[in-house]
Amino acid sequence: MRPWLALVLVALCVPAASADNAPAAASYIVHMDKSAMPTGFASHESWYTSTLAAAAPEADMFYVYDHAMHGFAARLPAAELETLRRSRGFVSCYPDDARVVRDTTHTPEFLGLSAAGGLWEASEYGEDVIVGVVDSGVWPESASYRDDGLPPVPARWKGFCESGTLFDAAKACNRKLVGARKFNKGVFANSNVTIAVNSPRDTDGHGTHTSSTAAGSPVSGASFFGYARGTARGMAPRARVAVYKALWEEGTYTSDILAAIDQAIADGVDVLSLSLGINFRPFYEDPIAIGGFAAMQRGVFVSTSAGNDGPDLGYLHNGTPWVLTVASGTVDRKFSGIVRLGDGTTVIGESLYPGTPTSIGNAGLVFLGACDNSTVLSMNRDKVVLCDATSTDSLRSAIYEAQQAKVRAGLFLTNDPFRELSEHFEFPGVILSPQDKPALLHYIQRSSRGPPKASIKFEVTVVDTKPAPVVATYSSRGPSASCPTVLKPDVLAPGSLILASWAENVTIQNVGEQALFGKFNIISGTSMSCPHASGVAALLRAVHPEWSPAAVRSAMMTTASASDNTLAPIKDMNGQGNEAATPLAIGSGHIDPNRAVDPGLVYDAGPEDYVRLMCAMNYTKAQIRTVAQLPAAAVDCAGASLDLNYPSFIAFFDPAGAAGERKFAREVTNVGDGPASYSAKVKGLKELTVSVVPSRLVFGAKQEKQRYTVVVRGQLKNKAPDADVIMHGSLTWVDDAGKYTVRSPIVATTVSSAGL
């Protein structure tokens, strides 16, 4: 059984611990029905204060929410929760906790943004779109936040910069960095700590990296200690940036994240970028789902990371239908160490060793098997050591042993699917392909010109590599535990080994005993893919301010590419021999910004559609109101359906092989220039029958809507227990003029459809 299937839903408001060992008090997030406020109160805050005082006299309210949700966060004794629950206007509550995890710059070229006539030009580089980033803060001195040539801040902007420790708002903010706020009352309420840097300043690096990836200004001469030299820039380089610090070294709590989202909505951001998530949470206990719903209601596009818990299925977080969920892939660039043997043979490996000198010349070379003998390694510490790390989980062990022995350099043969996470060597090291092993051993064992020798050159960047993209092994896969019937992730974006700005007082890594600092760092994760998508969304909002968040998401999904730069299907790094990736790993495919600006058709959806979805998920009215901030009378479950008008399809079948039929109803809106006709083309899923009715859609004008139905029939059967079947194909609507191809992935699977 998968871990998320073993979770059991609990009551609307559950104490953080049992009565026997409960702490004197704990923090909770409390949802209230705003419409239930009695007359006589001057504000909702005064009503909340009165309600809390009556129910829990010793309680301490530390946040009031009015945009991301209606309610408050407070610390109170668990014994007083029942009294609070009976209070007028109470909807639900849940514990505030710290289970939040954090999940880039050649990438504009890789995505085609720099091409003449592309989305950069059409959007004026995202000028005047405001991107909000909830993260670990910002390093405002970074050149990525220069405001050279930017016009005044849009008059609609309501946010501001706040001063604090090592952060002078008057100097930090400008026409680029238009807002910087901090949120840590949850940290103080839940732990007895002192915040070392109590300000929006980034003391981690993560927030500076993500915000500059989304919308950083161009910075020439950027590099990571000689790697990735060039001009660093964000996806929307003329968009404005507002930073909301809610991730702290001293702790991260959901109440702070929700407060940050609440403020971002109030300030007027257009796009919200959230490179963080909480695993295995139903919508009504997930601050990102709750805050994201409120943002969506106000027209704010929300982009989130899928998580870094791959490659097993079902560990994706942020599987919320009203946000974009972004998976991570590679780009067509590698960072290398070039190894030259004494006979002239050259092999190219992977390395981000940042130390000096940047080359090793004519050193002795020896093969030491798995490099698991510390004594033998120490005896050869003056040599370049070749290690066979091709067995499971042996790469990190071999690197550790070689480093401890202080060898001159290490060469590591491996096909470890997580190998990119080991490229940041603290000593001279290179990761090599097992395919290089025969040539290396042939030279070592048969060297006729004396002892074997090797030279290594570091700081090498190779571009236009193939294939790319490839799905990163760590990228979390669907189905979404919170909503399995909506296919997630939505798209794939660059997330592996991404160069972007960094907090200059945060150690990047060590080389020997020396800590290294820098203005840029290269890191990996869906935290990096998310802001790529956020920046692209900002560009699309600049061109199409009238589009709903669902329309923007649809445009990004239906124009995404399922092919890599060799025109073959995108591959999965985790697969044996890099098999083709499924939509449970890549969603609709790799984002293609220049096509997304003119998608032809879009699949739209609004708050009422998502409410009907939650009704069909058997959410109670209180749970729906927690998410949607609706009064009880406004929750209408008529027409409840798990079949959301979404640009993708997932059909679940009985693993025992029983025949089944799955129906999907969809509505598309013509956003092309005028009248158009489209024909349906189904690809893949040959073991099943897929019908599309009607198979032709005719639009008489722009903004006209048409409906169609997809039916998937047949049977799938697991060949062995726990060997789930995953089949996939696609439905593409092709217009008669040949201008538009509107593609949606279809997944048919025996994976369990049970949710949280």
Side-chain angles (χ1 to χ4, degrees), residues 59-424:
D60 177 25
M61 183 186 300
F62 55 91
Y63 279 126
V64 172
Y65 305 108
D66 200 37
H67 302 280
M69 57 165 274
H70 299 310
F72 55 89
R75 185 172 178 81
L76 69 157
E80 296 178 342
L81 284 174
E82 183 62 25
T83 304
L84 179 62
R85 191 184 68 80
R86 294 194 297 268
S87 301
R88 176 172 177 169
F90 175 91
V91 175
S92 66
C93 74
Y94 47 87
D96 185 15
D97 64 35
R99 290 181 292 172
V100 180
V101 293
R102 311 175 191 188
D103 297 333
T104 100
T105 48
H106 166 69
T107 46
E109 287 74 21
F110 182 52
L111 295 174
L113 285 168
S114 59
L119 182 53
W120 263 357
E121 292 184 8
S123 67
E124 296 183 342
Y125 299 84
E127 187 168 298
D128 286 351
V129 177
I130 302 169
V131 180
V133 182
V134 177
D135 214 296
S136 65
V138 65
W139 189 264
E141 293 82 8
S142 169
S144 291
Y145 307 106
R146 289 187 315 213
D147 61 357
D148 302 353
L150 286 177
V153 177
R156 59 189 169 82
W157 176 241
K158 300 176 184 177
F160 68 94
C161 284
E162 63 175 281
S163 295
T165 311
L166 303 176
F167 197 92
D168 185 342
K171 297 178 180 178
C173 291
N174 53 25
R175 294 181 178 186
K176 179 68 176 181
L177 184 59
V178 298
R181 307 284 294 269
K182 61 176 173 63
F183 302 86
N184 53 23
K185 293 178 182 178
V187 176
F188 288 123
N190 287 283
S191 54
N192 184 20
V193 298
T194 299
I195 301 291
V197 181
N198 194 11
S199 75
R201 180 168 293 280
D202 189 1
T203 59
D204 177 271
H206 192 269
T208 300
H209 200 283
T210 56
S211 58
S212 61
T213 298
S217 297
V219 183
S220 60
S223 80
F224 173 80
F225 300 98
Y227 295 94
R229 291 185 184 275
T231 299
R233 55 173 68 84
M235 297 299 100
R238 290 182 68 82
R240 317 307 174 101
V241 177
V243 171
Y244 302 85
K245 183 176 179 180
L247 309 185
W248 299 82
E249 292 180 314
E250 295 81 2
T252 297
Y253 288 87
T254 53
S255 58
D256 294 328
I257 293 172
L258 197 55
I261 296 174
D262 189 77
Q263 189 62 57
I265 296 170
D267 288 346
V269 302
D270 301 301
V271 174
L272 196 52
S273 189
L274 304 173
S275 289
L276 49 90
I278 307 175
N279 293 333
F280 311 125
R281 282 286 193 94
F283 297 154
Y284 52 85
E285 290 184 357
D286 184 349
I288 297 172
I290 294 166
F293 195 98
M296 173 272 301
Q297 286 178 303
R298 292 160 177 81
V300 179
F301 184 87
V302 182
S303 175
T304 68
S305 50
N308 300 330
D309 294 320
D312 292 341
L313 298 178
Y315 285 88
L316 173 145
H317 60 214
N318 294 326
T320 308
W322 44 88
V323 307
L324 183 75
T325 311
V326 189
S328 177
T330 65
V331 300
D332 62 341
R333 176 179 65 184
K334 290 187 176 180
F335 305 113
S336 301
I338 299 179
V339 182
R340 184 179 178 87
L341 306 182
D343 64 355
T345 300
T346 298
V347 292
I348 301 176
E350 303 166 41
S351 180
L352 276 166
Y353 172 65
T356 55
T358 60
S359 62
I360 294 174
N362 206 33
L365 174 65
V366 62
F367 176 55
L368 295 181
C371 291
D372 53 0
N373 188 314
S374 59
T375 301
V376 175
L377 281 166
S378 295
M379 292 171 59
N380 289 275
R381 64 174 44 170
D382 61 333
K383 296 182 176 66
V384 175
V385 174
L386 176 64
C387 305
D388 187 339
T390 54
S391 63
T392 303
D393 299 327
S394 62
L395 176 59
R396 292 192 178 185
S397 176
I399 291 175
Y400 173 79
E401 293 293 345
Q403 181 176 341
Q404 291 299 109
K406 299 181 179 180
V407 300
R408 182 79 181 274
L411 306 178
F412 303 91
L413 297 162
T414 186
N415 53 11
D416 189 324
F418 292 97
R419 59 188 176 275
E420 74 175 76
L421 304 180
S422 297
E423 289 187 32
H424 284 271

Side-chain angles (χ1 to χ4, degrees), residues 297-634:
Q297 286 178 303
R298 292 160 177 81
V300 179
F301 184 87
V302 182
S303 175
T304 68
S305 50
N308 300 330
D309 294 320
D312 292 341
L313 298 178
Y315 285 88
L316 173 145
H317 60 214
N318 294 326
T320 308
W322 44 88
V323 307
L324 183 75
T325 311
V326 189
S328 177
T330 65
V331 300
D332 62 341
R333 176 179 65 184
K334 290 187 176 180
F335 305 113
S336 301
I338 299 179
V339 182
R340 184 179 178 87
L341 306 182
D343 64 355
T345 300
T346 298
V347 292
I348 301 176
E350 303 166 41
S351 180
L352 276 166
Y353 172 65
T356 55
T358 60
S359 62
I360 294 174
N362 206 33
L365 174 65
V366 62
F367 176 55
L368 295 181
C371 291
D372 53 0
N373 188 314
S374 59
T375 301
V376 175
L377 281 166
S378 295
M379 292 171 59
N380 289 275
R381 64 174 44 170
D382 61 333
K383 296 182 176 66
V384 175
V385 174
L386 176 64
C387 305
D388 187 339
T390 54
S391 63
T392 303
D393 299 327
S394 62
L395 176 59
R396 292 192 178 185
S397 176
I399 291 175
Y400 173 79
E401 293 293 345
Q403 181 176 341
Q404 291 299 109
K406 299 181 179 180
V407 300
R408 182 79 181 274
L411 306 178
F412 303 91
L413 297 162
T414 186
N415 53 11
D416 189 324
F418 292 97
R419 59 188 176 275
E420 74 175 76
L421 304 180
S422 297
E423 289 187 32
H424 284 271
F425 285 98
E426 296 185 16
F427 67 103
V430 182
I431 295 173
L432 300 175
S433 168
Q435 296 176 357
D436 297 320
K437 183 177 180 178
L440 290 162
L441 293 185
H442 182 272
Y443 168 67
I444 292 172
Q445 296 167 357
R446 303 185 183 184
S447 177
S448 60
R449 299 181 182 179
K453 301 286 185 180
S455 301
I456 308 174
K457 178 176 176 53
F458 297 100
E459 288 189 13
V460 178
T461 301
V462 182
V463 296
D464 297 324
T465 59
K466 294 179 173 59
V470 176
V471 184
T473 305
Y474 58 77
S475 187
S476 293
R477 319 300 165 100
S480 162
S482 59
C483 187
T485 56
V486 174
L487 177 60
K488 290 283 183 169
D490 295 313
V491 291
L492 180 73
S496 289
L497 300 177
I498 302 300
L499 176 80
S501 291
W502 195 250
E504 293 179 39
N505 68 341
V506 177
T507 302
I508 290 178
Q509 70 176 79
N510 293 319
V511 172
E513 301 298 323
Q514 179 185 3
L516 298 184
F517 301 85
K519 296 181 178 181
F520 295 89
N521 198 0
I522 292 175
I523 56 178
S524 299
T526 57
S527 278
M528 286 63 255
S529 59
C530 169
H532 277 87
S534 304
V536 171
L539 299 175
L540 295 175
R541 291 301 299 264
V543 180
H544 298 290
E546 76 283 2
W547 280 4
S548 69
V552 174
R553 180 183 62 225
S554 173
M556 295 175 70
M557 291 175 65
T558 62
T559 59
S561 175
S563 301
D564 61 27
N565 57 2
T566 70
L567 302 182
I570 293 173
K571 296 178 175 58
D572 193 327
M573 192 179 293
N574 182 58
Q576 298 299 318
N578 285 353
E579 287 98 348
T582 77
L584 293 175
I586 65 172
S588 296
H590 196 253
I591 57 173
D592 188 340
N594 293 335
R595 289 191 60 222
V597 71
D598 188 17
L601 305 175
V602 296
Y603 295 76
D604 212 347
E608 63 283 355
D609 301 298
Y610 303 123
V611 168
R612 285 193 287 268
L613 172 69
M614 288 186 283
C615 290
M617 293 170 66
N618 295 321
Y619 276 21
T620 66
K621 283 195 173 184
Q623 291 167 343
I624 294 172
R625 291 166 60 204
T626 296
V627 177
Q629 306 172 61
L630 296 172

